[in-house]
């Protein structure tokens, strides 16, 4: 097979001495995919390896790709992504892809951890209590999205105000306030999940703005879209690119 030396080296870094069954059954496909994903794509992005693996894991959760997630999880752990960081990615996904998907990935994560003799449970990362989660969550969302949730609380009908409360106390208070990942990483993995889901254009645009607020520039977001392309396909990729250029116009 004509897999480039660069692709082989990048694959080997993640998966030392892996014996791929697909190389035997589908050699032409593996040649195409490995050259594209582990060489060509990487020439057009600037993310360091561990961050690239974190957003890949987040994307695969959103895509409901359990088998590929487990494979990439092993690669992520091989290059130094920590068990705490992995669990935080999975936990935060609950707010964006829902419990129905996340439970499968908790079990998949725990299976990989058990195989690698990583002790469970992982050390706790919560910084809030039931009494403080709302105020701390509201403070966190204000730092990222300004008064967006405050406006929801003010403008929504009485029987809909609980959605704004949930954004403050659950989405941000329960997840974003946790230790284990910094704000820049949390916003980037959220962006990765949303563009991988598809059909969440208003939320993608909101989190593009949030990413800029916490310090992720357009090149970082372009890099995220680029490295996720092999996993999410062209329709979701081009939609994400259009949304990014709508919020941060392309330079001519």
């Amino acid at each position: 097979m004509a897999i480039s030396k660069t692709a082989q080296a990048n694959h080997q870094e993640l998966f030392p001495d892996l014996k791929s069954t697909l190389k035997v059954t589908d050699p032409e496909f593996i040649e195409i995919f490995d050259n594209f994903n582990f060489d060509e794509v990487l020439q057009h992005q600037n993310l360091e390896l561990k961050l690239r693996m974190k957003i890949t894991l987040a994307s695969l959760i959103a895509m409901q790709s359990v088998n590929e997630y487990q494979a990439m999880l092993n690669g992520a752990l091989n290059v130094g992504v920590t068990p705490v960081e992995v669990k935080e990615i999975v936990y935060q996904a609950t707010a964006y892809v829902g419990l129905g998907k996340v439970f499968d990935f908790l079990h998949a994560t725990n299976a990989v951890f058990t195989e690698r003799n990583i002790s469970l449970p992982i050390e706790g990362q919560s910084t809030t209590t039931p009494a403080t989660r709302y105020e701390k969550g509201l403070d966190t969302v204000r730092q990222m999205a300004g008064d967006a949730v405050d406006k929801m609380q003010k403008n929504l009908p009485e029987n809909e105000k609980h959605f704004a409360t949930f954004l403050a106390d659950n989405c941000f208070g329960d997840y974003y306030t946790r230790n284990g990942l910094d704000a820049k990483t949390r916003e980037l993995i959220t962006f990765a999940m949303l563009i991988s889901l598809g059909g969440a254009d208003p939320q993608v645009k909101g989190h593009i703005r949030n990413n800029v607020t916490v310090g992720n520039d357009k090149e970082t977001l372009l890099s995220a879209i680029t490295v996720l392309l092999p996993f999410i396909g062209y329709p979701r990729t081009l939609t994400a690119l259009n949304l990014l250029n709508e919020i941060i116009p392309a330079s001519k």
Side-chain angles (χ1 to χ4, degrees):
M1 292 189 298
I3 298 176
S4 73
K5 290 183 179 180
T6 298
Q8 291 181 52
N10 287 330
H11 190 281
Q12 178 71 7
E13 184 176 11
L14 289 170
F15 310 108
D17 302 317
L18 176 70
K19 304 299 181 184
S20 171
T21 58
L22 290 179
K23 274 190 175 182
V24 178
T25 60
D26 299 89
E28 290 182 333
F29 175 81
I30 291 300
E31 178 182 323
I32 293 168
F33 181 79
D34 280 12
N35 282 333
F36 187 58
N37 187 55
F38 295 107
D39 187 350
E40 187 175 358
V41 163
L42 299 185
Q43 297 174 33
H44 300 276
Q45 60 85 40
N46 61 12
L47 304 179
E48 59 93 15
L49 177 56
K50 287 192 284 187
L51 181 57
R52 195 169 82 232
M53 295 307 296
K54 290 171 195 174
I55 66 167
T56 300
L57 294 178
S59 173
L60 291 170
I61 295 171
M63 296 289 289
Q64 199 61 17
S65 303
V66 176
N67 290 338
E68 186 65 10
Y69 169 85
Q70 286 188 303
M72 287 294 172
L73 173 54
N74 274 298
L77 293 168
N78 287 342
V79 297
V81 177
T82 70
V84 166
E85 290 171 326
V86 172
K87 277 299 180 82
E88 289 305 309
I89 293 167
V90 181
Y91 291 175
Q92 186 165 326
T94 308
Y96 298 98
V97 307
L99 284 170
K101 292 182 177 181
V102 167
F103 278 144
D104 288 343
F105 287 87
L106 277 176
H107 290 303
T109 301
N110 290 340
V112 170
F113 283 8
T114 299
E115 289 172 3
R116 297 175 69 111
N117 296 315
I118 297 171
S119 297
L120 294 167
I122 299 299
E123 57 268 32
Q125 301 295 317
S126 178
T127 66
T128 64
T129 68
T132 64
R133 61 197 279 267
Y134 176 78
E135 288 300 331
K136 287 191 174 183
L138 192 56
D139 181 62
T140 300
V141 73
R142 284 169 177 163
Q143 292 176 35
M144 294 184 180
D147 60 356
V149 172
D150 296 281
K151 287 180 177 177
M152 287 182 66
Q153 280 283 18
K154 180 180 178 180
N155 297 326
L156 285 175
E158 195 62 36
N159 65 345
E160 297 178 13
K161 290 184 184 294
H162 59 283
F163 291 109
T165 300
F166 292 162
L167 278 169
D169 64 16
N170 179 242
C171 183
F172 284 88
D174 286 338
Y175 298 111
Y176 271 82
T177 60
R178 294 174 62 83
N179 293 323
L181 294 172
D182 61 22
K184 290 177 68 173
T185 304
R186 287 192 183 276
E187 265 305 312
L188 197 60
I189 66 171
T190 296
F191 176 73
M193 287 186 278
L194 290 172
I195 67 172
S196 301
L197 280 172
D201 292 5
Q203 289 73 32
V204 171
K205 290 192 285 188
H207 282 278
I208 290 170
R209 297 185 183 97
N210 288 3
N211 268 278
V212 172
T213 298
V214 300
N216 292 322
D217 61 14
K218 185 173 184 179
E219 286 303 313
T220 298
L221 296 173
L222 278 173
S223 290
I225 295 171
T226 301
V227 300
L228 294 180
L229 189 160
F231 299 96
I232 70 177
Y234 285 93
R236 286 182 173 88
T237 296
L238 295 178
T239 296
L241 182 60
N242 287 337
L243 294 171
L244 179 59
N245 284 329
E246 181 180 335
I247 300 303
I248 311 173
S251 299
K252 299 298 184 181

